[in-house]
Amino acid sequence: SPGAWELVYCFPTFEYGVSPAQPVEILQFGRALTEDCESLHRQTRELQFEVDRESLLSGFALHVTIDCGGGAPIISSAELGTHWDNCLVLIERDVQVRPGDVVDLVADIDLESKDPTYSFKAQLRRRGTADVEPPALLLDTVIA
């Protein structure tokens, strides 16, 4: 069903992606100023994924990447060998995408309550049809 989600252990996101990954949520620990930390409680990201290969788009894979800085290795659940699950957010039905198509994703994150809420809205813009065809709604869901 649209907006359904599930956690998948060791889902190989690097094999199935049709566009490079982009950050949906950023958590930075060790910030000196409280005001800066408070701004992280609510985040909105407007991302554009340009499709780089022909494929069926079934949803979005969300993975965790940890960068501690200072030369420490970057750890990501998108890579094999981690113990974290990846979250798959499914769209209503698979959609054929081609190179040059663009998927616009708006992610709203609310970490202020006891149970964090993630809202996603995604639209598909076909290459070369921006003036002729409105974007197709792929996803409009809330995960709590």
Side-chain angles (χ1 to χ4, degrees):
S1 66
W5 64 278
E6 60 183 276
L7 295 176
V8 180
Y9 180 69
C10 290
F11 180 78
T13 59
F14 56 89
E15 286 185 31
Y16 296 104
V18 297
S19 180
Q22 296 182 45
V24 169
E25 177 182 19
I26 296 174
L27 298 176
Q28 295 178 336
F29 300 100
R31 285 213 172 175
L33 301 175
T34 305
E35 310 88 59
D36 290 340
C37 291
E38 289 174 1
S39 69
L40 297 176
H41 292 172
R42 295 186 66 88
Q43 299 180 46
T44 297
R45 297 274 187 276
E46 295 181 12
L47 307 173
Q48 293 183 338
F49 296 93
E50 185 169 342
V51 175
D52 57 17
R53 67 182 177 98
E54 188 163 333
S55 186
L56 283 177
L57 179 66
S58 299
F60 299 90
L62 307 176
H63 64 270
V64 174
T65 299
I66 308 253
D67 182 354
C68 296
I74 296 174
I75 301 168
S76 176
S77 65
E79 304 294 330
L80 294 176
T82 70
H83 64 278
W84 287 306
D85 295 330
N86 293 313
C87 180
L88 300 180
V89 181
L90 305 175
I91 60 176
E92 185 170 345
R93 62 182 170 276
D94 294 350
V95 174
Q96 184 73 37
V97 292
R98 295 176 283 292
D101 289 348
V102 175
V103 176
D104 297 313
L105 178 69
V106 177
D108 288 309
I109 298 115
D110 181 356
L111 303 176
E112 290 181 334
S113 67
K114 178 180 147 191
D115 298 315
T117 303
Y118 296 80
S119 302
F120 299 100
K121 185 172 184 176
Q123 296 183 317
L124 173 64
R125 291 184 286 131
R126 296 285 185 189
R127 179 181 179 184
T129 64
D131 298 334
V132 182
E133 186 179 310
L137 182 66
L138 300 175
L139 179 68
D140 191 358
T141 192
V142 175
I143 299 173

